[in-house]
Amino acid sequence: MSDSKFLTFPIEFMEGAFSDIQKICNNIFDYAIYVHSLKYEKECDSDMEAMQKAAEFYEIELGNVRYSLNNGYTLYEEFGTKIAKASISKDIVFDYYKNKKTEFEIASFCGFCATKSILGSKTYCKTNKFLIHARMFGYNNYAALKSLDKKSPFQEKYFKRYNFDKLIKELQYNWGMNMISNRCRGFYISYEIGLEELAIISEKAKQKNKDKLLRMAKEEAIKKAMEIVRKENLEKEKAISASSS
């Protein structure tokens, strides 16, 4: 992946990406630049000047500074700084903004942003198909996507196993994602650590879960045994009381 500066934005922006990816990219630019411009408010004479300075920080030439400022402000007011955010290389956003992309390339873009939003500031995490699929289309969780009265053709398509698995492979082949799924629910992903380290993390988590299940089983067994012994002692006390009366 590119070493250029990264643009951070709410994952909600992904909604509508399949119908107008250029608009999504434009919103990513304007939002990220506007948010950065807030750091320059005190040292600049106007919002326009702060916006221009933020654009220079990202080495982005804005065609219409006022339009970008207004759009960035509107997006910021609507989405704020929500927790589910993704970060993506400026160069990738430019590529998708300037060049025509196939449906699958757009799906890959959305999948990358989805996994990055799930990871957040973490170097790795455990996730699942449902959350990735929801984030691809701009939803914070799968429950929000599932509650829709009717899903779009793209939402239906990329939930199917063949298409989703193809997308996950693409993220591993060409977008730098590492993934490990070793006979456990969900899978571990990372863009920063290698497969071997990720596999070790997965195995340790599995062992930790086994230890937890074993401990819970023992606690439950002890609890049941104590209840049985308590009942037996009560029966004995009743028998002694009956014999002495």
Side-chain angles (χ1 to χ4, degrees):
M1 306 307 294
S2 172
D3 290 329
S4 75
K5 291 179 179 177
F6 281 69
L7 305 166
T8 301
F9 60 94
I11 197 62
E12 285 90 340
F13 282 19
M14 288 299 99
E15 186 177 3
F18 284 90
S19 59
D20 194 346
I21 188 64
Q22 189 176 50
K23 179 181 178 181
I24 301 303
C25 291
N26 186 66
N27 285 344
I28 291 172
F29 283 130
D30 290 348
Y31 176 89
I33 294 171
Y34 175 77
V35 171
H36 192 73
S37 77
L38 299 176
K39 297 180 179 180
Y40 303 127
E41 281 184 322
K42 292 182 179 180
E43 60 186 85
C44 292
D45 294 330
S46 67
D47 292 342
M48 288 271 288
E49 183 184 343
M51 190 73 174
Q52 183 60 50
K53 189 168 184 178
E56 291 170 0
F57 168 82
Y58 283 110
E59 299 178 338
I60 295 173
E61 185 176 346
L62 297 175
N64 186 324
V65 179
R66 182 170 295 281
Y67 171 82
S68 293
L69 172 62
N70 291 337
N71 189 41
Y73 171 78
T74 300
L75 292 167
Y76 183 78
E77 286 296 300
E78 181 178 356
F79 297 101
T81 54
K82 293 189 177 180
I83 295 174
K85 296 190 292 291
S87 290
I88 188 168
S89 163
K90 177 191 74 176
D91 290 347
I92 296 175
V93 183
F94 261 123
D95 179 32
Y96 275 74
Y97 180 73
K98 293 179 179 179
N99 303 307
K100 186 175 178 60
K101 297 296 179 181
T102 65
E103 178 199 305
F104 186 68
E105 286 174 330
I106 293 172
S108 301
F109 180 92
C110 294
F112 176 77
C113 292
T115 51
K116 291 288 283 185
S117 76
I118 294 168
L119 279 160
S121 60
K122 301 185 292 292
T123 56
Y124 71 89
C125 72
K126 187 178 183 181
T127 187
N128 56 65
K129 171 183 178 178
F130 300 98
L131 184 55
I132 292 176
H133 183 254
R135 293 286 177 87
M136 277 182 65
F137 295 95
Y139 294 91
N140 191 53
N141 52 60
Y142 183 68
L145 177 59
K146 189 178 180 181
S147 66
L148 294 178
D149 293 332
K150 185 178 180 181
K151 295 181 177 62
S152 74
F154 297 114
Q155 290 168 345
E156 295 281 4
K157 179 176 180 177
Y158 286 97
F159 190 70
K160 292 179 180 178
R161 182 173 181 177
Y162 172 81
N163 295 311
F164 183 82
D165 288 352
K166 181 182 178 182
L167 173 64
I168 291 298
K169 286 179 181 178
E170 172 66 13
L171 294 179
Q172 294 174 81
Y173 292 153
N174 296 312
W175 290 75
M177 186 180 83
N178 286 322
M179 187 197 84
I180 287 291
S181 177
N182 187 13
R183 297 187 299 278
C184 62
R185 291 184 178 180
F187 40 82
Y188 286 85
I189 61 171
S190 177
Y191 286 94
E192 298 183 43
I193 63 177
L195 284 172
E196 184 176 342
E197 186 177 352
L198 204 58
I200 292 171
I201 290 168
S202 175
E203 284 302 308
K204 285 182 176 179
K206 281 172 62 179
Q207 184 59 53
K208 186 177 181 180
N209 189 52
K210 286 181 180 178
D211 292 343
K212 180 180 179 181
L213 291 173
L214 179 59
R215 184 175 67 254
M216 289 172 63
K218 289 180 178 180
E219 289 174 352
E220 184 64 22
I222 292 171
K223 183 179 177 182
K224 288 181 178 179
M226 290 175 67
E227 182 62 21
I228 290 171
V229 170
R230 187 185 70 81
K231 288 181 178 179
E232 288 179 350
N233 287 337
L234 284 174
E235 290 297 324
K236 288 179 181 179
E237 289 175 4
K238 287 180 181 179
I240 294 171
S241 178
S243 64
S244 62
S245 60

